[in-house]
C-alpha cells in the first residue's frame, strides 16, 4: 500500500515540476532531464512513472484542466460565478503556472493529433461543467424557459472564450492586465451576457 501512495506522490511531484519548467522554459525547454532535475529525481524515475514526454505532457495538461475546473465549480457554488471564473485567470503564481501548462498543451496539440483529441475531450468536459452551472443559475430567472440547450451552449462558449482571452492577454502583458483589470473585464463579460 505504501508503494502505491509513494508512486502517486512521485507522479504528483513530477507533474508539479513540469508546471514550473513549462512556465519558466516553455515547451522546447521541457526536456525529461530538466523536468527530472526540477523534481529532484533521475530521468529514470520520470520514465518509470511516465512512458515518454508525450504521456507526461498529457498527464500535466490533464491535471491542470481537472484542477482548474474543480476550483471553478467549487468556487462558483460557494462564492458565485464571477469568483469561479476568476479561478481561470492568472491572478497568482499557481494559476499563472496552470495557464502556462494549458497554453503549452494547446501548442503541443496543434502538432499532435492524439494530444489534440484528448485536450478537446477535456475542454468539452470544462464546457459541460460551465453549461451545468449556467443552467442552474438561469433556472431561477423568469426567462428560463427560453434558455434551450443550444442557447446555453453558446452562452457558455461566449463566456469561456472571453475569460480565456483575458487570461491569455494577462500572461502576455502582465503590466497592462494586472489582477484588478482582469477582474474588471470579467465583470464586463458577465454584465454583457446578463449574468452579473
Amino acid at each position: 500500500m505504501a508503494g502505491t501512495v509513494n508512486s502517486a506522490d512521485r507522479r504528483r511531484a513530477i507533474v508539479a515540476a513540469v508546471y514550473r519548467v513549462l512556465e519558466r522554459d516553455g515547451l522546447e525547454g521541457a526536456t525529461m532531464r530538466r523536468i527530472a532535475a526540477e523534481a529532484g529525481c533521475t530521468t529514470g524515475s520520470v520514465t518509470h512513472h511516465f512512458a515518454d514526454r508525450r504521456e507526461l505532457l498529457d498527464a500535466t495538461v490533464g491535471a491542470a484542466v481537472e484542477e482548474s475546473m474543480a476550483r471553478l465549480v467549487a468556487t462558483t457554488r460557494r462564492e458565485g460565478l464571477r469568483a469561479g471564473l476568476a479561478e481561470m485567470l492568472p491572478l497568482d503564481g499557481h494559476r499563472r503556472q496552470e495557464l502556462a501548462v494549458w497554453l503549452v498543451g494547446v501548442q503541443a496539440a496543434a502538432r499532435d493529433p492524439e494530444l489534440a483529441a484528448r485536450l478537446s475531450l477535456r475542454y468539452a468536459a470544462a464546457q459541460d461543467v460551465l453549461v451545468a452551472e449556467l443552467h442552474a443559475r438561469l433556472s431561477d430567472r423568469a426567462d428560463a424557459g427560453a434558455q434551450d440547450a443550444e442557447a446555453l451552449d453558446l452562452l457558455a462558449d461566449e463566456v469561456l472564450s472571453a475569460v480565456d482571452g483575458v487570461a491569455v492577454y494577462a500572461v502576455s502583458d502582465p503590466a497592462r492586465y494586472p489582477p484588478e483589470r482582469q477582474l474588471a473585464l470579467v465583470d464586463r463579460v458577465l454584465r454583457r451576457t446578463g449574468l452579473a
Side-chain angles (χ1 to χ4, degrees):
M1 190 69 156
T4 304
V5 172
N6 290 338
S7 180
D9 287 346
R10 175 53 71 188
R11 284 178 63 89
R12 279 191 292 278
I14 292 168
V15 166
V18 177
Y19 271 49
R20 296 187 299 273
V21 171
L22 287 174
E23 182 189 28
R24 186 181 63 235
D25 304 324
L27 181 59
E28 291 73 24
T31 64
M32 295 296 264
R33 180 173 291 149
R34 207 173 271 175
I35 290 164
E38 184 72 28
C41 64
T42 65
T43 54
S45 180
V46 173
T47 57
H48 173 75
H49 295 285
F50 300 95
D52 55 24
R53 189 170 174 256
R54 172 196 266 164
E55 183 182 321
L56 178 55
L57 179 62
D58 187 48
T60 303
V61 172
V65 172
E66 289 165 18
E67 184 181 332
S68 65
M69 287 303 104
R71 279 197 329 269
L72 182 149
V73 171
T75 304
T76 298
R77 289 182 180 150
R78 225 179 26 253
E79 302 172 40
L81 186 58
R82 179 193 191 256
L85 292 171
E87 292 296 335
M88 297 173 65
L89 299 173
L91 299 174
D92 58 32
H94 180 73
R95 286 181 278 189
R96 275 191 301 278
Q97 287 178 343
E98 200 172 69
L99 184 61
V101 168
W102 183 288
L103 293 174
V104 165
V106 170
Q107 179 187 2
R111 294 177 283 177
D112 185 327
E114 288 180 38
L115 281 177
R118 287 193 290 276
L119 188 61
S120 179
L121 288 174
R122 289 183 174 126
Y123 200 74
Q127 172 81 0
D128 290 346
V129 165
L130 188 54
V131 166
E133 290 300 315
L134 291 176
H135 189 274
R137 183 178 180 89
L138 294 173
S139 65
D140 295 335
R141 289 180 23 177
D143 63 346
Q147 298 292 333
D148 63 15
E150 178 65 20
L152 282 176
D153 192 54
L154 286 170
L155 180 59
D157 270 347
E158 181 179 359
V159 172
L160 278 175
S161 298
V163 175
D164 279 350
V166 171
V168 170
Y169 284 149
V171 164
S172 303
D173 191 356
R176 178 167 166 73
Y177 296 94
E180 57 275 3
R181 185 175 180 89
Q182 294 175 53
L183 292 170
L185 289 165
V186 169
D187 288 337
R188 289 176 62 90
V189 170
L190 292 176
R191 282 194 301 272
R192 189 185 71 238
T193 56
L195 294 170

